[in-house]
Amino acid sequence: MDVKELEEKIAKLQEMIDASKHIVFFGGAGVSTESGVPDFRSEDGLYHQKFDYPPETMLSHSFYVTHKKDFFRFYYDKILVESIEKDGKECPIEPNAAHKKLAELEAAGKLSAVVTQNIDGLHQKAGSKKVLELHGTVMRNYCLKCGAEYGLDFMLDKKHAGDLEPKCPKCGGDVKPDVVLYEESLNMATMEEAVREISTADMLIIGGTSLVVYPAAGMVDYYRGNRLVLINKSSTKEDRNADLIIAAPIGQVLSHIGVRNHS
């Protein structure tokens, strides 16, 4: 896509946003890759790297149960990523232009919810309030025995201490990240709320996702409006239904969007 075509598409996106009152954003790993968070399916993603076990296996419920130390070794190293190298320096991972613009749109009364497949908590860090996390979050952890809840700092302390079997300080039970592993079900209440938001939206922006992970990807089928926008570097199954397709990094695209308060 040349510069002129991209500018025209961003202008069209601006028009659609200005005309909308109830926008919902549905996003995936591509939203956070511009912050340095590794994704799974891209050329440099985790699924194309070599490990002792396939990433899908290591992120499964059965592997967590039977290979807890291997699970946490992978989880600490590849999921709880705290920083990236930039110009020879280690820099903390921060929200990018996409996260920040979505938070601005919500604050302006234009965007009603972010529905995300990501677990990194960057939407909340950018200021978004209504974030429906389909696959859970690294920000929460809980004891499988007594139910005690722990924040991100708890697990980071365990990571830095090299503790591959984190235990609950209260009862000694296993502490598990509140993320949805393979073989586990999505939270029904979160799914229902996401469907409710998408089905009543007057604009749906899908960004940074290839729409291949189910059941999450199937939720976009509940959208009934006529402002369906896809912002993704590669094609998706929804391209044929989209009213606007922008094949570019989502942070780059949203950084050009102006935010006007909804009156």
Side-chain angles (χ1 to χ4, degrees), residues 122-255:
L122 289 176
H123 283 294
Q124 291 93 328
K125 194 171 183 180
S128 289
K129 306 299 182 186
K130 182 71 172 288
V131 183
L132 302 175
E133 296 166 309
L134 298 176
H135 296 152
T137 175
V138 301
M139 309 303 287
R140 294 189 306 268
N141 306 274
Y142 64 96
C143 174
L144 294 175
K145 186 176 179 180
C146 73
E149 297 182 358
Y150 299 95
L152 176 62
D153 288 343
F154 174 88
M155 202 58 81
L156 289 177
D157 287 343
K158 297 295 183 181
K159 172 184 176 179
H160 298 153
D163 184 352
L164 297 176
E165 292 186 279
K167 300 293 185 181
C168 174
K170 297 179 180 178
C171 75
D174 290 325
V175 176
K176 178 185 179 294
D178 192 9
V179 298
V180 179
L181 302 177
Y182 288 101
E183 304 166 354
E184 294 180 342
S185 300
L186 273 61
N187 181 279
M188 188 57 67
T190 303
M191 287 180 65
E192 290 175 351
E193 191 168 2
V195 167
R196 186 162 55 248
E197 287 287 351
I198 291 171
S199 63
T200 57
D202 61 3
M203 180 176 184
L204 178 62
I205 302 174
I206 300 173
T209 174
S210 52
L211 294 176
V212 297
V213 178
Y214 284 82
M219 292 185 181
V220 302
D221 295 337
Y222 289 93
Y223 179 61
R224 294 291 178 263
N226 58 2
R227 298 188 191 106
L228 175 60
V229 178
L230 286 171
I231 308 173
N232 197 53
K233 290 191 286 186
S234 59
S235 60
T236 78
K237 72 178 184 67
E238 288 296 320
D239 284 12
R240 65 187 183 279
N241 299 318
D243 300 290
L244 177 64
I245 299 173
I246 306 179
I250 188 165
Q252 174 188 339
V253 172
L254 293 186
S255 66

Side-chain angles (χ1 to χ4, degrees), residues 28-58:
V31 178
S32 293
T33 51
E34 290 174 76
S35 292
V37 178
D39 68 355
F40 288 84
R41 291 175 174 78
S42 71
E43 187 176 331
D44 298 320
L46 294 180
Y47 286 174
H48 295 280
Q49 299 177 27
K50 298 296 183 183
F51 302 102
D52 291 340
Y53 304 91
E56 304 99 310
T57 298
M58 289 188 284

Side-chain angles (χ1 to χ4, degrees), residues 74-83 138 152 155-156 159:
F74 180 79
Y75 182 78
Y76 289 156
D77 187 37
K78 298 300 182 180
I79 306 300
L80 278 191
V81 182
E82 300 171 74
S83 62
V138 301
L152 176 62
M155 202 58 81
L156 289 177
K159 172 184 176 179

